[in-house]
Amino acid sequence: MIENLLTYDAELFLYLNNLGSERWDGFWHIVTEKWSSIPIYVILLYLVHRHYGWKGTLVVIVSVALMITATDQLANLFKYGIERPRPCRVEALQAQMRPLVEGVGCGRFGFFSAHAASSMAAAVFLGLALRKDYRYLPFILLFWAVIVAYSRIYLGVHYPLDIITGMFFGGILGWLFFKLNLWGQQRFNAS
């Protein structure tokens, strides 16, 4: 059963990875770079400040910092606990997949995607935190998280199952830290 699932995962990876073309490589390389999301986070920080004020924004920043740390550490736990080689490390796939985009590294292991987990966690957390003031923001943020996650397949460093698992854990952690943020907002604003 697991072998069949991994075979389908590799086949879906090859299909999705080969949808790419050199014309789009630069775009997807920018999307996958963590630093390229800074403008989005600056805008979101501004919206958080408008909604929560200075005290509440501090609680949100602490919650998000803890959440991103949790997603990264959980991804590392799975990555080195399972030790599934990234597709760019599997010789049988290298001849069939697109070559790595210049400047994209291929780590050893990749289950599950920290990029997918972190972006989904941020999308869920901030979408829930700001949904009362910005009705469509959760959908925009979820779309952004899916785009970031797909970039990892496009670039050949993660399988679809890595992405789906990362998004699943990211969504759960985003919701849990949103609840933690609500508790923190009540405690911090009560004092």
Side-chain angles (χ1 to χ4, degrees), residues 16-29 98-99 101 150 154-155:
L16 293 172
N17 174 261
N18 280 295
L19 290 176
S21 68
E22 281 187 40
R23 183 185 326 174
W24 286 95
D25 287 354
F27 170 77
W28 289 106
H29 188 267
R98 296 184 68 247
V101 174
Y150 172 73
Y154 182 97
L155 296 171

Side-chain angles (χ1 to χ4, degrees), residues 65-154:
L66 291 171
M67 178 184 69
I68 297 302
T69 301
T71 59
D72 282 346
Q73 293 309 308
L74 188 60
N76 283 334
L77 179 70
F78 274 81
K79 193 176 293 184
Y80 295 107
I82 294 175
E83 294 188 346
R84 182 183 189 193
R86 290 178 184 253
C88 49
R89 292 275 183 195
V90 178
E91 286 186 38
L93 294 177
Q94 288 176 356
Q96 300 173 56
M97 63 184 273
R98 296 184 68 247
L100 286 178
V101 174
E102 188 174 329
V104 174
C106 181
R108 290 181 55 203
F109 306 117
F111 189 80
F112 58 84
S113 169
H115 276 78
S118 296
S119 59
M120 183 56 75
V124 169
F125 178 94
L126 293 166
L128 289 171
L130 296 170
R131 74 179 183 270
K132 289 180 184 171
D133 292 339
Y134 308 98
R135 193 165 102 195
Y136 298 108
L137 185 62
F139 303 106
I140 294 168
L141 292 175
L142 290 173
F143 178 74
W144 163 74
V146 169
I147 295 296
V148 169
Y150 172 73
S151 74
R152 307 306 287 166
I153 296 170
Y154 182 97

Side-chain angles (χ1 to χ4, degrees), residues 5-77:
L5 179 63
L6 295 178
T7 300
Y8 291 135
D9 194 30
E11 290 173 5
L12 183 57
F13 163 77
L14 288 171
Y15 174 77
L16 293 172
N17 174 261
N18 280 295
L19 290 176
S21 68
E22 281 187 40
R23 183 185 326 174
W24 286 95
D25 287 354
F27 170 77
W28 289 106
H29 188 267
I30 290 169
V31 167
T32 206
E33 278 296 321
K34 291 180 181 183
W35 304 113
S36 67
S37 296
I38 288 175
I40 294 169
Y41 290 130
V42 168
I43 292 168
L44 290 169
L45 184 62
Y46 170 74
L47 296 177
V48 165
H49 177 262
R50 279 186 63 190
H51 180 79
Y52 289 101
W54 285 109
K55 283 175 137 181
T57 299
L58 182 61
V59 174
V60 168
I61 289 171
V62 169
S63 298
V64 168
L66 291 171
M67 178 184 69
I68 297 302
T69 301
T71 59
D72 282 346
Q73 293 309 308
L74 188 60
N76 283 334
L77 179 70

Side-chain angles (χ1 to χ4, degrees), residues 55 59 179-191:
K55 283 175 137 181
V59 174
K179 292 295 188 181
L180 176 69
N181 174 63
L182 290 177
W183 176 81
Q185 294 291 346
Q186 291 171 347
R187 300 276 298 203
F188 200 66
N189 288 327
S191 58

